[in-house]
Amino acid sequence: RLHLRAPSLFQVLRNRISYAMASAETEETFGASAEVDPEEEAFENPDVENLIRRWRNEKYAPEVLPFDQALIENMSEVLDFVTETLEEERVEGQQDPHDPDFCLRSLDLERMRYILRDYLRIRLWKLTQWPQHYLQPTNQTLLSTAERTFLKDFWDNKKLFFENRLLLALPAASQNLEDTNDLLDMVRRPDIEKHVYVRIRSDLGKIDIPPSMTQESAGTQQPLVLSEGSTYLLRYCLVKEFLTEPQHDGKVELI
């Protein structure tokens, strides 16, 4: 009957992970003898919701979004701690592996580990699609140290393959893979004109629409006003700043 409780799994996970974090913090502060009463109201770890939100945004955004180093490190440590706790309970015989509570905690742990891994996989996939674009200095700030290393190695190997298989047989003027000018751009870039579904979580104020996106004249063009709590189908470029700039973090989410 576990499937009947599936809608509340994320809530269960938040409580379990929060309890684990509270136990770890209490033990570190007051010693190993200190305990946290599981019957007390559990502290809700905001990192869980933040990770889920960033995962969804990354999944539906056409470009790589800024990497939250602190969030990923915190969630990795929490998941490692919960994994060790469950394994200790299983090995020491404190918990029946078939107990529904233990199964739910293990299931929720695997779900969150999947979300974290999928978040990182999505980012790596985007890097492999537009490597030259993200190698540019202005875009390097969006990436983690590991992602920058991966991207550099990936493009060096891919460029070497192109040179050995194709480019060396072309005239010297046609061998450059990074020519950029008004008429020719050899660098593939994400399509920020792509339409996305956006849920508005807080007031955004008035959004100016570029003249190229409307048939109205400049004098009659009205700014875009999005209502809090509503969902819209919009071009990504209109809400890009609310997903990439720290001061707007959490104001919108992609669905």
Side-chain angles (χ1 to χ4, degrees):
R1 295 196 294 263
L2 288 180
H3 66 281
L4 298 177
R5 301 181 62 181
S8 62
L9 286 180
F10 278 130
Q11 183 63 45
V12 173
L13 176 62
R14 284 197 297 268
N15 292 339
R16 293 299 180 182
I17 289 181
S18 300
Y19 172 71
M21 290 184 64
S23 300
E25 293 174 355
T26 302
E27 181 176 342
E28 180 180 354
T29 304
F30 300 104
S33 60
E35 295 183 357
V36 177
D37 187 0
E39 299 299 326
E40 295 181 359
E41 183 178 357
F43 167 75
E44 184 171 327
N45 183 8
D47 286 345
V48 175
E49 287 292 345
N50 288 338
L51 176 60
I52 296 173
R53 176 170 53 84
R54 293 192 184 280
W55 169 60
R56 289 173 178 165
N57 289 342
E58 196 69 56
K59 184 175 182 179
Y60 298 117
E63 65 175 353
V64 172
L65 300 177
F67 185 78
D68 192 336
Q69 185 76 30
L71 173 64
I72 300 305
E73 289 180 352
N74 290 343
M75 284 304 303
S76 297
E77 292 177 0
V78 169
L79 294 178
D80 288 342
F81 175 80
V82 175
T83 300
E84 293 175 1
T85 301
L86 292 177
E87 182 63 20
E88 289 177 0
E89 292 181 6
R90 186 187 66 82
V91 173
E92 296 175 3
Q94 300 177 4
Q95 185 73 59
D96 181 3
H98 303 291
D99 180 74
D101 178 76
F102 183 82
C103 292
L104 275 177
R105 285 188 289 160
S106 300
L107 181 62
D108 291 334
L109 173 63
E110 289 303 318
R111 176 171 292 189
M112 287 306 302
R113 290 172 65 179
Y114 166 79
I115 289 177
L116 178 58
R117 291 171 179 171
D118 194 51
Y119 169 76
L120 299 175
R121 279 195 297 263
I122 292 171
R123 293 178 61 87
L124 292 181
W125 179 84
K126 291 180 180 179
L127 295 181
T128 61
Q129 297 302 301
W130 307 288
Q132 294 168 277
H133 174 72
Y134 289 110
L135 280 171
Q136 296 177 348
T138 55
N139 296 321
Q140 286 281 287
T141 56
L142 301 173
L143 312 180
S144 66
T145 303
E147 288 173 339
R148 287 193 288 268
T149 302
F150 166 82
L151 180 59
K152 183 179 182 302
D153 292 342
F154 173 82
W155 179 243
D156 287 344
N157 291 329
K158 190 171 185 178
K159 186 176 181 180
L160 182 62
F161 173 81
F162 285 152
E163 291 175 350
N164 292 333
R165 292 291 183 175
L166 175 63
L167 296 179
L168 294 180
L170 298 177
S174 303
Q175 293 182 7
N176 192 0
L177 295 175
E178 301 179 0
D179 287 336
T180 56
N181 54 54
D182 294 337
L183 300 178
L184 176 66
D185 189 352
M186 295 290 291
V187 178
R188 297 178 63 245
R189 306 183 188 280
D191 181 15
I192 63 174
E193 299 294 327
K194 178 181 178 181
H195 285 77
V196 293
Y197 284 99
V198 184
R199 178 182 294 139
I200 310 303
R201 302 182 61 185
S202 62
D203 180 53
L204 305 181
K206 296 180 179 180
I207 302 176
D208 294 329
I209 303 178
S212 59
M213 294 186 183
T214 179
Q215 297 180 352
E216 298 180 2
S217 61
T220 60
Q221 182 176 321
Q222 298 294 325
L224 181 64
V225 179
L226 304 178
S227 302
E228 182 177 348
S230 299
T231 302
Y232 300 89
L233 177 61
L234 302 170
R235 292 190 181 184
Y236 171 78
C237 59
L238 292 176
V239 294
K240 175 180 177 179
E241 65 174 305
F242 301 107
L243 292 164
T244 57
E245 297 183 6
Q247 65 269 28
H248 298 307
D249 186 45
K251 290 186 176 181
V252 303
E253 63 179 354
L254 304 183
I255 59 175

